[in-house]
Amino acid sequence: MTTRLPAVRSDRIPLAVRRPAGAPLSVSARVCFLLVVAGIGGKAHEAAAQYPDAWVVPAGALRIGFEPRYDSYGEMFDASGTMRPLGAFLSDSAAGDRLFPTLRPVSSALWGITGDSGLTLNAGGIRTALDADVRRFPLSLAFGITSRLTFTAMVPFVTTRAQAFLEVDSTGTLGWNQAAPAAGSAAAIADFQALLSELEAAAAAIEAQVASGGYDCPGGPVCSQATALVARARAVALQVTALSGVSAVGIADDLLPPFAPLASSAEGQAMTAALQALSADLQAFGSAGLTTSLPLPTTAIDADDVQTMLSDSVYGYRAEPIGFHSFNKRLGDAELGLRYGLFQNDRLRTVIGTTLRLPTGQRDAPNRLTDLGTGDRQTDVEFRLEAVWQPGTVAVALDATYVMQLADRPVVRVAPFTAPVATAAAETGVQRNLGDILRLGLYPSLRLSDGFTAYASVSYIAKTADRYELPGGFDVPVEAGGPVTASDLALGTDWYTLSFGAGVYYRSVRTQRTLSLPIEAGIDYRSAFRGSGGLAPKTASVNIFLRLYWRLFGGAAPQPASVDPAGS
């Protein structure tokens, strides 16, 4: 039987997914997840998904553009270039401490009590089906300072959405730790403490006999066995505390182990048998045996239990449930720039430009495993070349962009993207420098009629690895997902994608106040079909744009129609 979690709605999300702003979604060191989607950092120019804008705005004219864009993500390319589900790193065929780090003490306790390191924890097959999209509604302005120099500005309004469905199958052999609040077994805490008390009392009694010369002490072989039995009883007591979170003085109030082996499972039966054997050995040395059995669960966990573990602070994750998250409607990373026209004639148009991207967006939240922020919220400097060669009906255009991403200090949960479920103890501020991005695009085109041009596109985007520095003295505990180094955060952050697409571009020149001013519009679709790196989600994008010009001052003779790329 499969348990399916209904979609949970919230006003925000966590897979880390860091979001590229014009390139494929890049999951943060968490995911992301993506998320890892999510986590999931890197971006290309917002205008990358359209025909190259190899024009400058005439002096004294203002261009206003509305350029909505929709990017969707459902799969990603792994390091070998194979496509995998976007929620792959939030899934596990036999979930245990690989997915949930707070189960590591439970694994150690299982091995310590039984002496069998071959036993494993299995919460069942956990699958997270995840897809996401980003909807951008940028308002762009361009003003012609001179006949060749144009000032640009862009303010993006962004809506992000991530939809996740968590499924847990019925093959699991874990249930609630009986000391956990979710187990609803107040008596279990007393049983754990009684068992710990019996173990210590038995060990103390034998230790007292050793100290008084019993068991052929100090040098006899039985003395050595007695001393080893004392150490064994106390070691088991420590493992019972690690298994349950219960000590002689009380229960842990943070990082409480969430799950334990079922009493009916091979692991549960092995622990019960080991305690019975220990009890018999204690009695053989004249001490009282163990009368309290180890409290173990009888019901396997389901998807609701996993969600409770993530959201209840007592288990250490302090994360929002995995579900449906939308309405991340905020300002994205705004831009200011300059463009200069090198060649502007009827056959060749070439523009170079630079853009300063500002940290005005909203980052993804560390406690939301499939969150998508509306921006990276760090400063970028971008350099861009756009060119169109149009000798006649057939033309070719190209663009090249290099993005330098500058350092910032975000708060993240320190974990590699392959283990995105980290606890709050792994959260800290880090020094981060997102990798630089190179984008190349080629656009063979065909003039359909006066004003209309159809084109195909091939786009290549490559990103270098991110760099991180952890604060001095910060260490991630083992039970919180550690040990983790700064280099672990950079895993999978260097990637590339290759996309194909097509579109239609329209440009019609009108005359206003003795200056020929165009109307521009178009639609562009493209989809990634190849990539690798680990954090390169397969992106499908649709971009629609409309640009209108107004004359603010000055004037010039109308331009000849032959400079129109569509031949209008």
Side-chain angles (χ1 to χ4, degrees):
M1 177 179 178
T2 297
T3 302
R4 190 175 186 87
L5 179 72
V8 179
R9 187 164 178 168
S10 173
D11 63 344
R12 262 203 64 162
I13 356 174
L15 186 268
V17 183
R18 304 254 182 263
R19 184 197 64 82
L25 179 73
S26 173
V27 188
S28 73
R30 294 175 288 120
V31 148
C32 264
F33 201 318
L34 162 201
L35 177 340
V36 54
V37 141
I40 233 124
K43 49 172 119 45
H45 195 284
E46 287 285 357
Q50 54 184 255
Y51 197 72
D53 178 25
W55 294 88
V56 291
V57 176
L62 175 69
R63 186 183 74 185
I64 298 178
F66 180 60
E67 306 177 14
R69 176 171 171 171
Y70 175 80
D71 295 326
S72 62
Y73 317 94
E75 295 174 302
M76 62 183 173
F77 300 103
D78 65 15
S80 66
T82 303
M83 281 191 297
R84 304 181 63 179
L86 193 58
F89 295 111
L90 287 172
S91 305
D92 199 316
S93 59
D97 54 20
R98 289 181 304 183
L99 188 60
F100 305 122
T102 53
L103 290 180
R104 293 181 184 178
V106 180
S107 291
S108 297
L110 172 63
W111 302 334
I113 293 173
T114 64
D116 185 354
S117 60
L119 297 173
T120 60
L121 303 179
N122 179 10
I126 293 181
R127 176 178 177 269
T128 301
L130 176 65
D131 65 85
D133 61 64
V134 179
R135 307 168 197 185
R136 301 179 180 87
F137 303 93
L139 176 64
S140 64
L141 301 175
F143 175 72
I145 300 175
T146 70
S147 61
R148 289 187 177 269
L149 184 63
T150 297
F151 168 80
T152 63
M154 189 274 293
V155 179
F157 298 93
V158 181
T159 297
T160 66
R161 178 198 65 88
Q163 180 169 271
F165 292 95
L166 179 69
E167 298 177 348
V168 179
D169 66 26
S170 58
T171 62
T173 56
L174 293 182
W176 278 112
N177 166 18
Q178 295 301 283
S185 178
I189 298 176
D191 289 340
F192 279 117
Q193 289 183 316
L195 179 58
L196 292 172
S197 179
E198 290 177 357
L199 286 166
E200 176 55 33
I206 296 174
E207 188 176 50
Q209 289 291 326
V210 169
S212 63
Y215 311 121
D216 295 331
C217 288
V222 178
C223 182
S224 297
Q225 295 175 15
T227 302
L229 184 58
V230 170
R232 177 182 161 199
R234 286 178 171 155
V236 167
L238 291 176
Q239 301 301 344
V240 169
T241 294
L243 176 75
S244 63
V246 177
S247 67
V249 297
I251 186 171
D253 58 3
D254 194 14
L255 286 178
L256 184 68
F259 307 135
L262 295 176
S264 59
S265 68
E267 294 76 18
Q269 292 175 357
M271 286 194 293
T272 298
L275 288 174
Q276 290 172 347
L278 176 59
S279 178
D281 291 344
L282 291 172
Q283 292 179 57
F285 275 78
S287 176
L290 305 177
T291 62
T292 304
S293 60
L294 184 66
L296 292 174
T298 58
T299 303
I301 63 168
D302 59 19
D304 290 333
D305 296 327
V306 173
Q307 300 285 30
T308 298
M309 175 195 67
L310 294 175
S311 59
D312 194 328
S313 62
V314 73
Y315 306 111
Y317 294 98
R318 301 179 187 176
E320 291 191 2
I322 297 173
F324 178 78
H325 302 274
S326 187
F327 303 109
N328 236 6
K329 297 181 178 180
R330 300 291 180 91
L331 184 68
D333 292 332
E335 299 176 358
L336 299 174
L338 290 173
R339 293 164 54 81
Y340 184 80
L342 294 177
F343 302 98
Q344 294 286 297
N345 58 55
D346 57 355
R347 285 179 174 267
L348 177 64
R349 297 184 308 281
T350 305
V351 172
I352 59 173
T354 183
T355 299
L356 178 67
R357 188 169 292 112
L358 305 174
T360 55
Q362 176 180 274
R363 295 190 185 105
D364 50 291
N367 69 323
R368 292 168 177 162
L369 295 176
T370 54
D371 195 21
L372 290 174
T374 63
D376 283 339
R377 198 174 177 83
Q378 45 79 230
T379 303
D380 295 343
V381 180
E382 176 181 294
F383 304 95
R384 186 171 176 85
L385 166 69
E386 295 172 283
V388 176
W389 181 60
Q390 185 155 13
T393 301
V394 177
V396 63
L398 62 85
D399 57 27
T401 303
Y402 187 81
V403 183
M404 296 174 54
Q405 304 202 91
L406 306 184
D408 64 342
R409 296 192 62 87
V411 174
V412 303
R413 292 199 174 182
V414 180
F417 77 95
T418 53
V421 186
T423 71
E427 188 172 310
T428 186
V430 298
Q431 180 76 22
R432 179 184 72 170
N433 195 324
L434 297 176
D436 294 347
I437 294 171
L438 172 67
R439 182 190 180 281
L440 303 174
L442 182 66
Y443 307 82
S445 63
L446 177 66
R447 187 178 67 207
L448 300 178
S449 65
D450 289 347
F452 283 96
T453 297
Y455 61 90
S457 66
V458 180
S459 302
Y460 171 80
I461 302 176
K463 177 180 172 295
T464 61
D466 300 339
R467 299 188 301 276
Y468 289 87
E469 292 182 18
L470 301 181
F474 178 80
D475 293 306
V476 181
V478 171
E479 63 273 17
V484 179
T485 65
S487 60
D488 291 326
L489 286 176
L491 291 175
T493 60
D494 54 330
W495 49 260
Y496 86 90
T497 60
L498 189 63
S499 302
F500 284 158
V504 176
Y505 173 76
Y506 172 79
R507 179 181 170 92
S508 176
V509 177
R510 60 192 174 91
T511 300
Q512 182 189 51
R513 295 188 188 178
T514 72
L515 178 65
S516 295
L517 296 176
I519 297 176
E520 298 171 337
I523 183 170
D524 181 285
Y525 172 81
R526 65 189 63 185
S527 178
F529 79 99
R530 181 178 297 173
S532 77
L535 294 179
K538 186 180 185 302
T539 311
S541 301
V542 178
N543 183 212
I544 301 172
F545 61 94
L546 173 65
R547 305 187 190 114
L548 303 175
Y549 290 70
W550 281 270
R551 185 68 168 143
L552 298 185
F553 58 82
Q559 299 177 9
S562 60
V563 300
D564 192 327
S568 60

